[in-house]
Amino acid sequence: PLESDNLPAQIQYGTISKSGLSLNALRTAMTGLVERQISSNSELCGNYHRVMAKLTDTVHSPESVTVLYCPDIDVEGASEAPVVHKDHIQIMESIVIHWTSQIKEVVNSNDSSADMETSGPLEEIEFWKGRPKDLLGLREQLSQPNVKKIVDVLQHSKSNYIGPFRLLTEQIVTKAAQANDNLKYLESIREQCTALHTVEAPKIATVLPELINRIRLIWSFSTFYQDNESMTSLLRKISNEIIQRFRAYIPVREI
């Protein structure tokens, strides 16, 4: 019977604000709905964790932040010799596969936008400004106890998925240093790129000489932008900005 003392334990409740249902509230509701079934059905358990991993991605996608979904899976024994059910090993492997996909996407991402036709140089600068934060945020998450527990268990069980995962995580520090280096050089053209975005279209020609000179220096001294493909991408974004400014300025229909 429900009484005032046992209400919090027996009833699930929460508040949905104007920003929508929070991930924690959703996780609590999901766990409560399928908790008993999860404990007795390994297939349902695996599907549940896959759904929660995808939901975690979806919730944080608008913030451009990579968050690793990491459930607290019970493990008996010490980390050096854990005792884990085979079904739990498979679930942990599916989680690590998902982590590997997430980290690979962040580590290998070297462009600010998939839409090369519209993105401009300011988007490129903001991309490299946020990238170190995302990479270092991943590194902090990897040091969390629950994450380390899953990695240690799979390491001990000699899982085939843990080797590629560890190799990938080792690249995070290097990529963060590269991102900081890129940002250092790109900040030197922020003023000119802002002017390119705001100045009247007929005056764009007055901005270009200094901007191109600075890009020439970036090409000479930056490690990343010495690559032809990366420099071409940056120049294409500047070209996009000029095209969009004149597309808005020239009355095509009148012509």
Side-chain angles (χ1 to χ4, degrees), residues 112 118-125 234 237-238 240-241 244:
S112 61
T118 58
S119 61
L122 288 176
E123 283 89 345
E124 178 85 352
I125 296 171
L234 178 60
K237 288 179 171 63
I238 292 171
N240 290 345
E241 187 69 52
Q244 289 184 62

Side-chain angles (χ1 to χ4, degrees), residues 60-75:
H60 294 284
S61 178
E63 304 167 8
S64 299
V65 175
T66 304
V67 176
L68 303 178
Y69 168 69
C70 186
D72 186 10
I73 299 177
D74 292 333
V75 176

Side-chain angles (χ1 to χ4, degrees), residues 3 8 15-16 27 42 49 60 78 82 88 90 93 111 113 132-133 140 146 155 166-167 178 184 203 213 228 248:
E3 299 175 357
T15 303
I16 299 177
R27 183 184 294 118
S42 58
H49 288 301
H60 294 284
H88 283 177
Q90 292 177 346
E93 285 183 333
D111 203 303
S113 175
K133 181 180 178 181
E140 289 179 4
N146 284 354
Q155 185 81 43
R166 283 194 177 277
L167 286 174
Q178 180 198 63
K184 177 181 70 175
K203 296 182 180 178
N213 271 335
N228 285 341

Side-chain angles (χ1 to χ4, degrees), residues 84-147:
V84 187
H85 194 275
K86 182 181 178 181
D87 291 335
H88 283 177
I89 291 289
Q90 292 177 346
I91 291 169
M92 290 183 184
E93 285 183 333
S94 70
I95 291 171
V96 167
I97 290 170
H98 186 73
W99 290 350
T100 302
S101 175
Q102 286 179 289
I103 296 172
K104 186 181 292 185
E105 185 176 344
V106 177
V107 166
N108 294 336
S109 176
N110 289 322
D111 203 303
S112 61
S113 175
D115 189 356
M116 293 296 295
E117 296 300 320
T118 58
S119 61
L122 288 176
E123 283 89 345
E124 178 85 352
I125 296 171
E126 291 305 315
F127 169 77
W128 290 108
K129 184 177 180 180
R131 188 159 157 75
K133 181 180 178 181
D134 199 14
L135 286 163
L136 294 176
L138 272 177
R139 189 182 177 192
E140 289 179 4
Q141 292 177 68
L142 290 169
S143 65
Q144 295 298 315
N146 284 354
V147 175

Side-chain angles (χ1 to χ4, degrees), residues 17-217:
S17 66
K18 61 181 180 181
S19 60
L21 188 64
S22 74
L23 185 64
N24 285 335
L26 184 58
R27 183 184 294 118
T28 302
M30 287 280 287
T31 304
L33 289 171
V34 299
E35 190 169 21
R36 291 181 181 177
Q37 289 83 350
I38 279 179
S39 61
S40 60
N41 188 322
S42 58
E43 183 180 355
L44 177 59
C45 186
N47 288 332
Y48 165 76
H49 288 301
R50 278 188 284 274
V51 168
M52 291 308 299
K54 287 293 184 182
L55 283 172
T56 302
D57 290 349
T58 303
V59 167
H60 294 284
S61 178
E63 304 167 8
S64 299
V65 175
T66 304
V67 176
L68 303 178
Y69 168 69
C70 186
D72 186 10
I73 299 177
D74 292 333
V75 176
E76 298 178 8
S79 59
E80 296 81 8
V83 179
V84 187
H85 194 275
K86 182 181 178 181
D87 291 335
H88 283 177
I89 291 289
Q90 292 177 346
I91 291 169
M92 290 183 184
E93 285 183 333
S94 70
I95 291 171
V96 167
I97 290 170
H98 186 73
W99 290 350
T100 302
S101 175
Q102 286 179 289
I103 296 172
K104 186 181 292 185
E105 185 176 344
V106 177
V107 166
N108 294 336
S109 176
N110 289 322
D111 203 303
S112 61
S113 175
D115 189 356
M116 293 296 295
E117 296 300 320
T118 58
S119 61
L122 288 176
E123 283 89 345
E124 178 85 352
I125 296 171
E126 291 305 315
F127 169 77
W128 290 108
K129 184 177 180 180
R131 188 159 157 75
K133 181 180 178 181
D134 199 14
L135 286 163
L136 294 176
L138 272 177
R139 189 182 177 192
E140 289 179 4
Q141 292 177 68
L142 290 169
S143 65
Q144 295 298 315
N146 284 354
V147 175
K148 293 179 71 175
K149 180 169 68 174
I150 291 176
V151 172
D152 290 343
V153 167
L154 293 184
Q155 185 81 43
H156 183 266
S157 64
K158 298 181 180 178
S159 169
N160 293 328
Y161 300 103
I162 203 65
F165 173 75
R166 283 194 177 277
L167 286 174
L168 196 60
T169 57
E170 289 171 1
Q171 299 180 38
I172 290 177
V173 176
T174 304
K175 293 290 184 177
Q178 180 198 63
N180 281 318
D181 185 69
N182 292 346
L183 181 62
K184 177 181 70 175
Y185 286 102
L186 288 174
E187 283 291 355
S188 69
I189 62 171
R190 181 184 286 275
E191 182 180 346
Q192 289 72 32
C193 291
T194 302
L196 190 66
H197 184 70
T198 56
V199 75
E200 294 178 6
K203 296 182 180 178
I204 283 178
T206 64
V207 178
L208 291 178
E210 185 175 0
L211 176 58
I212 299 301
N213 271 335
R214 288 172 180 264
I215 289 175
R216 177 67 175 82
L217 291 172

